Amino acid sequence: MRARELDLSLRNEALPLISKLRQLNFGLMLTLTLVACVGFAMLYSAAGGAWEPWAARQMLRFAIGFVIMIAIAVTDIRLWWRLAYAAYALALVLLIGVEIAGEISGGAQRWIDLGPLQIQPSEVMKIALVLTLARYYHGIPFAEVNRIVYLVPPLLLVALPAALVLKQPDLGTAVLIGAGAVAMMFVAGVRVRYFAIAGMGGLGLLPIAWQFLRDYQKKRILTFMDPESDPLGAGYHIMQSKIALGSGGVFGKGFLGGTQGHLNFLPEKQTDFIFTMLAEEFGMVGALVLLGLYLTLLAYGVAIALRCQHHFGRLVAYGVITTLFLYVFINIAMVTGLIPVVGVPLPLVSYGGTAMMTLLIAFGLLMNAHVHRDVRLSRHGTLPEA
Amino acid sequence: MRTDADRRKSFTRRATLLAGGKLLLAAPLAARLYYLQVQQSDQYTTLAEDNRINLRLLPPPRGRLLDRFGEPIATNQQNYRVVIVSEQTRSVEATLDALARLVEIDDHGRRRVLREVKRKRAFVPITVRDNLTWAEVARIEINAPDLPGVTIDVGLSRHYPFAASAAHVTGYVAPPSEAELTGDPLLELPDFRIGKNGVEKTFDERLRGKAGSLQVEVNAFGRVIRELTRREGARGQDHMLTLDMRLQEGIAQRLGDDSAAVALMDVTDGSVLALVSTPGYDPSAFNKGLSHAHWRELSTNPRAPLVNKPIAGQYPPGSTYKTIVALAALESGMSPSFTVSCPGYFDMGSHVFHCWKQGGHGSVDMHEGLVQSCDVYFYEVARRLGIDRIAEMSRRFGLGQPTGIELPGERGGLIPSREWKQAVTGISWQQGDTVNIGIGQGYITTTPLQLALATARIANGGFAITPRLTRPSAGAEPPSRIAGVSDASLAFVRRAMGNVTNSQRGTAYRSRIPEPEFAMAGKTGTVQVRQISKAERATRLRKNDEKPWVERDHALFIGFAPVERPRFAVAVVVEHGGGGPAAAAPIARDVLRDVQRRAPSYATVAGA
C-alpha cells in the first residue's frame, strides 16, 4: 500500500526531500563508512601513529564526499539521465586535453590542474561511461541489442577512452574501463558468442599490444613472472609486499606493529599497498574481514540493481558496483602477487582525494538508482504522461 | 512492455550469474592470502626480520703503547668533530654560514660538505670539521639553539704524545689499503685504522682488539630506528715497550735536525731503552690523512725522515769495527803485543792505504791500535787474518744480519765474503778488499742497532742477547754464551775501549764521562763517504766543514758504561756529521750519562 503511494508520488514528482532521504540505503552507507574507517586506521598507522599527513585529510575528504554522495542520491534521476552523454563528451575532451598537454610537457600527464582542484579525466570517464552505456542500453529496444548496428556505438564509446588512457599510460585504469564496460554490455544482453569472439580476437592481438606497451609496463609484467629475479629493482615492490603479508600471519603484528610498513620497506604503503599494511598488522583475519565488507557492498549493489524497475538504474547500479569490485580485485590480486603491479588503489581505503571523490560520486549514483527504483522512466528519459 | 519484461529477466539472470562469477573471483584472493599468511608465513617472517635488523660492528678502542714506566706513547684521543645532518637543517648553506662564524671552515671543506649532502641520504651525518679544540667545541655548544642539525660528535683518533721523538718505533696507523682488506668487515669501517709501520704494525693484531656488535632496527633507507642488542667487544691490549720515553725524547732533541741514529740497549737482556732516528715526523699526521705536499716533502727530504735509520740505515762501521777485527785476531792466536810500525800509510804494492793520521803513529801494539785507532795496524792485522775469520767473528756479534727486533723494515747490512763478491761483482776477492774491511770500510755495512748489539755483546762478556722492544715473559731462557770468544779477549777489547775515552791518547778522550761511577768506554769511527782522490791527498785534505753536506764523513761511535760491570751499550751514527770523535762521541757520552742517572728507577720497575 505504502509502496503504491510512494510510486504515485514519485510519478508526480512530489516526493519531498525528507522522504527521499528516508529512502537512502542505510545498510550500504554503514558498510561504506566501515570500509572508510578501516582506511583511516591504516592511514593513521602508515603515518607512524599520527593523524597527519594522511588520516585527517582522508577523513575530511570522506566527509565532504559523503555529503556529495547523498546529494547525488536524492537528485532527480532524470537529471543524471540527461547529463550522461554530456558528461561523456566532457570526459573525452578532458582526456584529449591531458594527452595534448602531455605531448607539450614531454611526459606522462594524467591531471588537469585547476588551481585548488585537480581533475583526473580518466576518473571522470569511469563514471561518465557507466552513465552513457546505461542510457544507451536504456534507450534501445531489447530486441535490437545484438544487431551489429547497435553494437558498434558502445564499442566505440569504450574503445576511445580506453585507448586514450592506455596511451597516458595508465594500464590499470584502461583495464578497469574496459572490463567495466564489458560487464555492462553483458548484463545488457549482448550475446555471449560475441564476447567469445572478442576474447579470441584479443588474445590474438596480444603480441601486437605488447609492442605498444611502455618499457616500464613490460618490465612490470616480466618481473611479475619472476619477482625474485630483481629483488632491488622492479621486483622490490612485489617482494616486499609478499614479505609483509607473509610475516603478518593469521592474526597480524598488531595495530601500529607492522615492521615492513613502518620501516618503509613497503612501497606506497598509504596508497596502492595499503591492503598489505592492513594484512601485516591485522593478519589474514583482518584482510578477510575487509574483503567481506567489500563483498557486502557488492551484494548491496547487486540487490539494488535487481530491485530497480528501470533499465537505466539497473545498469548504472550494476556498472558502479562492478567498477568497485574490479578495483578491489585488481588491487588485492596485485599486492598479493597474483597479477602484475598496475597501480590501482584500494577503493575507499587508499589515500587519495580524486579516487575517493570518484567512488563516492559513483556510490551516489548507485543510491540514486535505489532511491528512484520505482520511477517509471521512458525510453527518452521522461516520465510517461499521466 | 513485453520487451521490458524480457529485458529485466535477461538482466536478472545475467547480473546474478556475473555476481556469482565475482564471488568465484574473490575465492582465489582468499586462497592467496591463506597461502602467503599461513603456509608461507615462517619464511616471510624470517625475511621481514632480515629486512629490519641490521648488524653493525662496534670498533674496539685500539690498545695503547706504553713505555717502560707506563707512560703512554700512543693513545686514543677523543676527537671532537662537528657534524651536520642535512634533513634537520633549514638550509645547509645557511647553517654552514652560521657555523663558519664560530669555527674556521675553508672553501675546500665547504664544497666537500655540500657535495656529500647531495650524495648521501638526508639523515646521514656529514663531518664538517674534525679535531676541534675545546674552545671551538664550547663555541658551537653555546650556539647550539641557533644551529639546528649541527651536533658535536666524538670519535677516537690515534694520538702520539711524543710526536716525532718515537715516530720510527711506534710507526703509525692509517686506513687499510685495498690489499690489506682480509674480508674482516671491521677493516671496512670508515673510521677504522690499522698499524702501518713500526710497533703499531708488528703488534697490530694484539692492539686491535675484538669488535663488538650492535643489532639495530633499520628502515628501508638504512636509518637506525632503535638499538636491539649490543655485544661489547674487547678493547685492544695495551702494549708496554722497553723504551724510556724521557730518554728517547731527550736524545731526539739532542740530535735535532741532524740525520742521525741512536740505539741504546741494556746489555744484560737486550731491552732497547732508546731507538732514535732523526729527523722524525709526526705519526699523527698519517692518521688524519697526509696532504700530498706534506708527503712529498717527507719522501724527498735528503735527510730521509721516513727511514728508520737505527734498523734500516746501512753504514760502513768504520773504525768501530776494529773491535771486532781485534777479537778475531786474538781468537786466531795473535798476541796483543803484536806490533806494527805505522808510517802513516800501508803499501800493498798495487795500492797505498792511508792512516787517518798523516805522518803515522809509529810503533803500535793492539791496545794502542784500538785506543789511537791506528788504521795501518788494522790493515796489517786484517791482511794476516783474511776475510773469512773476520766475517765469522762479525756474525757471532750479530753484524750483517737482521737482529730480529720487533719492527718491520729491518735491514741486514752486509758482511762481505769471497762468494758474495764473486757473485755480485764477478771479480774474485782481493787482499786489498780484506785490508779495507780491517778498518770497517769498503763493502761492509751495518745498521746502528747491529753496532749497539755487537757492543752490548762485548760489554756483557759474550752473551748472545738480542735487542727487543718488549719485556720478555717470565721464565724466558737466559742468553747463551757466544762460542769461540774467550773472556780474556773480550776483557782486552773492553779495556782498550775504556782507554779510547779515558786515556789522554784515546780518540774520544774529550768526550769522557768524568764521574768515575758513570765512566764510559767506546770506540770512534769516521766513515769516508767519498773516495779521497790522489790529487786531493797530494795537495791538501779538505776539512769536513769545507765539503758539501752529502760529501762529509759519517760520524760513528759505539760505547758502553759503566766501564766496570757494564750495563748499557750505545751506538751513534751521525750521517755526514764529520769525525766520530767530534760529532758522535759527545752524543754517546750524554746518552750514557743520562741513562745511568736514570738506571736506579729501571730496577724498581723491573721488579714490578
Side-chain angles (χ1 to χ4, degrees), chain B residues 83-86 88-91 95 143-151:
Chain B
V83 297
I84 191 164
V85 180
S86 66
Q88 291 167 10
T89 63
R90 265 175 238 114
S91 142
T95 308
N143 289 284
D146 303 327
L147 295 167
V150 172
T151 45

Side-chain angles (χ1 to χ4, degrees), chain A residues 184-264:
Chain A
M184 284 184 74
M185 288 170 75
F186 174 75
V187 294
V190 175
R191 274 203 195 104
V192 177
R193 191 189 312 157
Y194 293 139
F195 291 107
I197 293 167
M200 302 288 255
L203 228 60
L205 283 175
L206 220 58
I208 299 164
W210 180 257
Q211 306 295 319
F212 283 96
L213 289 180
R214 301 289 170 100
D215 277 348
Y216 86 93
Q217 290 172 324
K218 287 183 188 173
K219 200 171 178 191
R220 274 185 182 176
I221 292 169
L222 289 176
T223 9
F224 162 70
M225 307 292 182
D226 184 15
E228 281 83 0
S229 70
D230 186 13
L232 288 176
Y236 182 80
H237 290 196
I238 301 169
M239 219 29 239
Q240 294 301 337
S241 182
K242 280 160 78 176
I243 291 173
L245 286 163
S247 61
V250 179
F251 297 107
K253 299 174 184 170
F255 186 51
L256 302 175
T259 58
Q260 286 284 104
H262 286 130
L263 300 175
N264 283 320

Side-chain angles (χ1 to χ4, degrees), chain A residues 70-342:
Chain A
I70 291 171
I72 290 171
V74 298
T75 308
D76 194 321
I77 194 165
R78 284 172 300 170
L79 177 67
W80 304 124
W81 186 90
R82 237 176 274 134
L83 282 177
Y85 288 168
Y88 180 87
L90 177 70
L92 201 61
V93 167
L94 290 175
L95 270 178
I96 295 167
V98 287
E99 183 56 38
I100 292 166
E103 294 287 332
I104 292 165
S105 69
Q109 180 87 37
R110 295 179 184 182
W111 304 84
I112 285 178
D113 208 334
L114 299 176
L117 194 66
Q118 283 184 324
I119 296 178
Q120 204 173 355
S122 57
E123 295 285 327
V124 180
M125 181 51 87
K126 278 176 203 157
I127 297 172
L129 188 62
V130 168
L131 284 173
T132 299
L133 286 176
R135 178 172 165 176
Y136 176 80
Y137 280 111
H138 177 85
I140 60 170
F142 185 54
E144 312 285 345
V145 165
N146 281 300
R147 283 180 57 189
I148 301 294
V149 199
Y150 287 101
L151 275 176
V152 173
L155 281 177
L156 282 178
L157 287 173
V158 180
L160 264 171
L164 282 168
V165 170
L166 196 59
K167 198 168 179 302
Q168 275 183 355
D170 186 352
L171 186 61
T173 306
V175 167
L176 276 173
I177 288 175
V182 165
M184 284 184 74
M185 288 170 75
F186 174 75
V187 294
V190 175
R191 274 203 195 104
V192 177
R193 191 189 312 157
Y194 293 139
F195 291 107
I197 293 167
M200 302 288 255
L203 228 60
L205 283 175
L206 220 58
I208 299 164
W210 180 257
Q211 306 295 319
F212 283 96
L213 289 180
R214 301 289 170 100
D215 277 348
Y216 86 93
Q217 290 172 324
K218 287 183 188 173
K219 200 171 178 191
R220 274 185 182 176
I221 292 169
L222 289 176
T223 9
F224 162 70
M225 307 292 182
D226 184 15
E228 281 83 0
S229 70
D230 186 13
L232 288 176
Y236 182 80
H237 290 196
I238 301 169
M239 219 29 239
Q240 294 301 337
S241 182
K242 280 160 78 176
I243 291 173
L245 286 163
S247 61
V250 179
F251 297 107
K253 299 174 184 170
F255 186 51
L256 302 175
T259 58
Q260 286 284 104
H262 286 130
L263 300 175
N264 283 320
F265 289 100
L266 205 56
E268 299 172 53
K269 57 175 187 280
Q270 78 281 14
T271 57
D272 292 358
F273 282 85
I274 197 157
F275 182 80
T276 307
M277 197 160 176
L278 170 85
E280 188 189 10
E281 298 197 348
F282 295 101
M284 187 177 70
V285 172
L288 289 179
V289 166
L290 183 64
L291 196 61
L293 286 173
Y294 281 124
L295 291 178
T296 309
L297 285 178
L298 175 72
Y300 272 114
V302 172
I304 288 168
L306 293 177
R307 170 79 181 70
C308 195
Q309 295 293 329
H310 44 85
H311 211 47
F312 178 68
R314 286 198 282 264
L315 286 173
V316 166
Y318 209 82
V320 166
I321 211 65
T322 301
T323 306
L324 173 93
F325 176 80
L326 285 171
Y327 263 112
V328 172
F329 178 79
I330 291 177
N331 179 272
I332 297 179
M334 165 182 102
V335 301
T336 52
L338 283 174
I339 61 165
V341 176
V342 284

Side-chain angles (χ1 to χ4, degrees), chain B residues 73-112:
Chain B
I73 312 173
T75 60
N76 302 310
Q77 207 175 39
Q78 289 193 322
N79 168 15
Y80 290 90
R81 50 195 168 197
V82 55
V83 297
I84 191 164
V85 180
S86 66
E87 69 172 2
Q88 291 167 10
T89 63
R90 265 175 238 114
S91 142
V92 176
E93 298 247 2
T95 308
L96 282 177
D97 288 340
L99 204 54
R101 284 192 280 274
L102 303 172
V103 296
E104 200 189 309
I105 300 170
D106 58 14
D107 272 359
H108 178 79
R110 190 189 169 91
R111 275 198 301 277
R112 177 185 55 77

Side-chain angles (χ1 to χ4, degrees), chain B residues 306-594:
Chain B
L306 293 176
V307 176
N308 190 358
K309 295 181 181 102
I311 63 160
Q314 305 182 102
Y315 311 92
S319 299
T320 63
Y321 192 59
K322 289 170 183 165
T323 52
I324 301 294
V325 177
L327 283 173
L330 292 170
E331 291 304 320
S332 314
M334 187 181 279
S335 160
S337 60
F338 172 73
T339 304
V340 171
S341 175
C342 169
Y345 61 90
F346 181 75
D347 196 346
M348 285 277 296
S350 58
H351 188 84
V352 175
F353 293 88
H354 292 272
C355 188
W356 64 269
K357 189 172 182 182
Q358 281 176 304
H361 291 92
S363 182
V364 173
D365 66 3
M366 195 178 288
H367 181 264
E368 283 308 308
L370 282 168
V371 172
Q372 300 183 41
S373 200
C374 175
D375 291 342
V376 170
Y377 186 87
F378 283 94
Y379 291 144
E380 177 59 22
V381 168
R383 191 182 65 80
R384 284 171 180 244
L385 283 174
I387 182 65
D388 299 339
R389 280 187 276 208
I390 298 173
E392 171 63 23
M393 191 57 71
S394 304
R395 281 191 279 272
R396 282 180 193 159
F397 282 83
L399 301 177
Q401 64 222 357
T403 64
I405 193 165
E406 310 94 312
L407 287 172
E410 189 185 8
R411 306 283 293 270
L414 176 72
I415 301 300
S417 64
R418 295 172 196 281
E419 298 76 32
W420 172 84
K421 191 188 173 192
Q422 183 70 49
V424 172
T425 65
I427 304 164
S428 63
W429 188 265
Q430 307 293 313
Q431 202 165 40
D433 296 330
T434 311
V435 167
N436 220 2
I437 297 291
I439 62 160
Q441 297 260 73
Y443 297 120
I444 183 170
T445 58
T446 55
T447 65
L449 183 63
Q450 286 169 8
L451 291 177
L453 175 62
T455 310
R457 286 179 176 186
I458 292 169
N460 71 10
F463 286 92
I465 53 153
T466 49
R468 46 192 175 64
L469 285 162
T470 308
R471 202 170 277 282
S473 49
E477 274 190 35
S480 60
R481 180 68 168 76
I482 299 167
V485 189
S486 68
D487 286 340
S489 306
L490 289 166
F492 173 83
V493 171
R494 280 201 298 270
R495 193 169 60 80
M497 287 173 78
N499 284 328
V500 168
T501 47
N502 297 310
S503 137
Q504 289 194 22
R505 292 185 311 280
T507 51
Y509 178 68
R510 276 192 282 178
S511 297
R512 71 194 175 279
I513 296 177
E515 299 92 326
E517 73 274 24
F518 292 158
M520 78 165 178
K523 182 68 195 80
T524 57
T526 303
V527 176
Q528 281 172 26
V529 175
R530 193 174 142 273
Q531 196 84 47
I532 298 171
S533 68
K534 273 210 176 81
E536 246 180 314
R537 202 174 286 280
T539 54
R540 186 179 76 94
L541 286 176
R542 285 187 298 174
K543 289 201 177 109
N544 258 312
D545 44 6
E546 293 168 352
K547 301 181 199 169
W549 183 72
V550 289
E551 290 181 14
R552 288 180 203 168
D553 299 338
H554 290 327
L556 282 79
F557 190 87
I558 59 171
F560 61 83
V563 174
E564 304 301 328
R565 299 187 54 205
R567 172 84 195 275
F568 303 105
V570 71
V572 177
V573 174
V574 182
E575 282 186 7
H576 310 295
I587 295 168
R589 175 197 62 205
D590 295 349
V591 170
L592 285 176
R593 189 154 52 188
D594 286 350

